Amino acid sequence: MRQIAYQRAGSVDEAVQAAAQPEAAFLAGGTSLVDLMKLEVLNPARVVDVTRLDLSRIEPRADGIRLGATATNSAVAAHPEVKRRFPALSQALLSGASPQLRNVATVAGNLMQRTRCAYYRDLATRCNKRSPGAGCDAIEGWTRMHAILGGSEQCIALHPSDMCVALAALEATIHVRGQRGERDIPFGDFHLLPGDHPEREFALEPGELVTWVFVPATAAAARSRYVKVRDRISYAFALASCATALEVANGRIRVARMALGGVGTKPWRSLEAERMLVGATPRAETFRRAADVALRDARPRRDNAFKVELAKRTMIRALTLSAEGA
Ligand code: SF4
């Protein structure tokens, strides 16, 4: 039997100090970590429980909203200010997991949830993310649920979160506290591409704790939308999804933000597609051209070529809804 040290942190400083020890992991809702510990995919020597810290507040401000790291996915999705000013975020959260999971899963846990790659979760297979340098059985294996954007020869694991796709499009910022103080990480820099080191997933120093996420309020954010396509209507990961935020004035797109889910090794933003949209008339042909650009570098594998067109259509649908403000 493996010994696991358990420590309940009484303050943020205490949590950061405890997590600076080797092989430590923070525990909040536990919906991902405990699952992977049972499978022996993650084997922390120390678990630092942060559920009692004062980090669960949701604080609307004039310039945006601050989401505490341990605010539950349910609480964020149901918050009236989130629904009114950041509808894509509420929609994305409600499209993920089940009500039971959303009631305990947290903002920071969602940010740091691990891939659902079946090979990653199966100790009988080779996986570079689980065991660096071991190889990747997914690349020549069953790839229907793998990434078509952002992969490398070492890993093609899909990023699973819905919430993160919305936060990418809304240009959120992640606030963290570590041994060397506090800092903000722009959302687009938080998740790392696999490259040659798929075991490195987040731009965090050892022991750094996510304390809150800030989402800026904009006119585009208030018209944001999230569209998710999946195998069944509930409790399924995205085959393709898209969060969009558009501001339209005098019949032209003034601001465009978009991010794709279900297709990338991280929440996938195409700045080129966003630039194309600015100044254009919001109509189907414009959206199709932007979608073609966003998926131009897609590299499908044996079982997931269908995702290229599916992601384009999902993006067109989300852009159409954002433009209509529907
Ligand atoms: Fe592991 Fe990534 Fe390969 Fe999946 S795709 S088996 S997570 S290395």
Side-chain angles (χ1 to χ4, degrees):
M1 185 167 310
R2 247 181 123 253
Q3 294 278 343
I4 302 168
Y6 171 84
Q7 180 173 349
R8 179 176 288 159
S11 68
V12 169
D13 286 340
E14 198 181 303
V16 167
Q17 226 162 36
Q21 299 179 60
E23 295 182 60
F26 292 117
L27 172 71
T31 54
S32 188
L33 177 66
V34 174
D35 206 15
L36 291 170
M37 285 171 70
K38 286 186 198 160
L39 294 170
E40 297 185 9
V41 171
L42 295 180
N43 298 295
R46 173 177 296 268
V47 168
V48 182
D49 185 340
V50 296
T51 50
R52 304 287 170 96
L53 302 183
D54 182 21
L55 292 176
S56 64
R57 280 185 269 172
I58 300 170
E59 298 172 87
R61 303 183 338 192
D63 59 345
I65 196 161
R66 197 161 110 166
L67 310 171
T70 60
T72 65
N73 288 186
S74 297
V76 176
H79 197 286
E81 288 296 292
V82 173
K83 286 161 80 171
R84 189 172 69 83
R85 297 159 82 192
F86 314 96
L89 177 55
S90 178
Q91 292 161 7
L93 283 163
L94 291 175
S95 76
S98 65
Q100 291 88 345
L101 286 167
R102 292 196 294 267
N103 285 342
V104 288
T106 63
V107 168
N110 199 326
L111 285 178
M112 299 186 65
Q113 69 174 288
R114 302 313 219 277
T115 181
R116 305 302 294 193
C117 171
Y119 301 91
Y120 172 70
R121 300 167 68 86
D122 180 353
L123 297 187
T125 65
R126 295 180 307 150
C127 171
N128 286 322
K129 192 183 282 296
R130 196 180 61 236
S131 311
C136 169
D137 277 343
I139 285 178
E140 298 299 327
W142 184 71
T143 52
R144 184 170 185 270
M145 298 304 287
H146 285 78
I148 57 173
L149 288 162
S152 70
E153 289 311 309
Q154 313 304 322
C155 180
I156 53 169
L158 190 66
H159 192 274
S161 170
D162 294 294
M163 180 194 81
C164 290
V165 178
L167 290 178
L170 295 170
E171 297 190 308
T173 303
I174 298 166
H175 190 83
V176 302
R177 170 103 64 96
Q179 294 246 301
R180 288 191 287 181
E182 303 184 29
R183 66 187 178 115
D184 287 317
I185 305 174
F187 199 87
D189 296 340
F190 185 78
H191 298 98
L192 305 178
L193 292 172
D196 289 335
H197 290 282
E199 75 281 7
R200 291 187 60 237
E201 299 180 275
F202 313 106
L204 289 172
E205 302 291 333
E208 271 187 325
L209 174 70
V210 174
T211 44
W212 70 74
V213 173
F214 180 72
V215 193
T218 62
R223 292 171 71 136
S224 62
R225 295 294 180 271
Y226 186 71
V227 175
K228 176 174 178 177
V229 180
R230 48 191 156 171
D231 280 326
R232 59 184 178 203
I233 196 65
S234 71
Y235 200 22
F237 292 92
L239 292 170
S241 71
C242 185
T244 52
L246 292 184
E247 185 186 339
V248 181
N250 302 321
R252 302 267 169 191
I253 299 169
R254 231 171 66 80
V255 175
R257 301 281 182 269
M258 52 80 43
L260 291 162
V263 289
T265 52
K266 62 184 273 185
W268 199 260
R269 229 175 125 184
S270 169
L271 299 183
E272 200 182 340
E274 290 178 6
R275 277 194 294 270
M276 268 189 71
L277 289 165
V278 174
T281 311
R283 57 177 182 221
E285 302 76 48
T286 308
F287 298 154
R288 166 53 74 169
R289 278 200 301 277
D292 287 342
V293 166
L295 272 297
R296 194 171 50 201
D297 296 330
R299 191 175 165 205
R301 303 275 167 171
R302 193 188 64 191
D303 308 309
N304 59 13
F306 72 97
K307 284 194 174 197
V308 178
E309 181 59 23
L310 186 65
K312 289 181 186 179
R313 293 186 188 197
T314 306
M315 182 175 156
I316 293 166
R317 177 75 183 141
L319 286 166
T320 305
L321 291 173
S322 263
E324 290 170 350

